[in-house]
Amino acid sequence: MRSIVAGHVAVTATDFVELALGTPLELWLGVQGETEDERAARLAAAADILADDPTMPDRVSQVAAEVIEAYAPELFNVATLPQPMHRRPRRKGTAA
């Protein structure tokens, strides 16, 4: 089954995120080994995008929160989390 978003085929989760943002993830996250000049240019481009669309961070945060809420049981399998240790009652006359 193929998923098409805005006329583009999305194959991976990264594809969906990039199509939703309208930009490659590298613009926001950077790439390993980028030079200071490359970083400055990337940050300037990101600042321009945010200046053109100041509501973007709020929309992205909302989508992220909805995804976490929807997939939290799978992401954070509550059944496998360590259970708290039960405290034994202290005996009379012992220090805390």
Side-chain angles (χ1 to χ4, degrees):
M1 179 177 168
R2 292 180 356 167
S3 297
I4 300 175
V5 178
H8 299 277
V9 177
V11 178
T12 66
T14 300
D15 292 342
F16 280 104
V17 172
E18 289 181 351
L19 289 169
L21 292 174
T23 63
L25 287 176
E26 290 81 10
L27 175 67
W28 307 103
L29 303 176
V31 293
Q32 190 173 10
E34 71 182 0
T35 66
E36 286 299 316
D37 288 341
E38 290 168 332
R39 182 175 190 272
R42 177 178 59 78
L43 293 176
D48 287 344
I49 290 170
L50 292 174
D52 289 342
D53 187 0
T55 64
M56 184 182 192
D58 293 335
R59 291 193 328 268
V60 170
S61 297
Q62 180 64 35
V63 169
E66 289 172 6
V67 169
I68 290 168
E69 184 177 14
Y71 293 97
E74 296 165 24
L75 294 172
F76 309 104
N77 189 346
V78 177
T80 63
L81 292 176
Q83 299 300 313
M85 294 179 56
H86 296 286
R87 293 180 129 193
R88 287 191 242 168
R90 285 189 279 151
R91 293 184 204 160
K92 288 184 181 178
T94 59

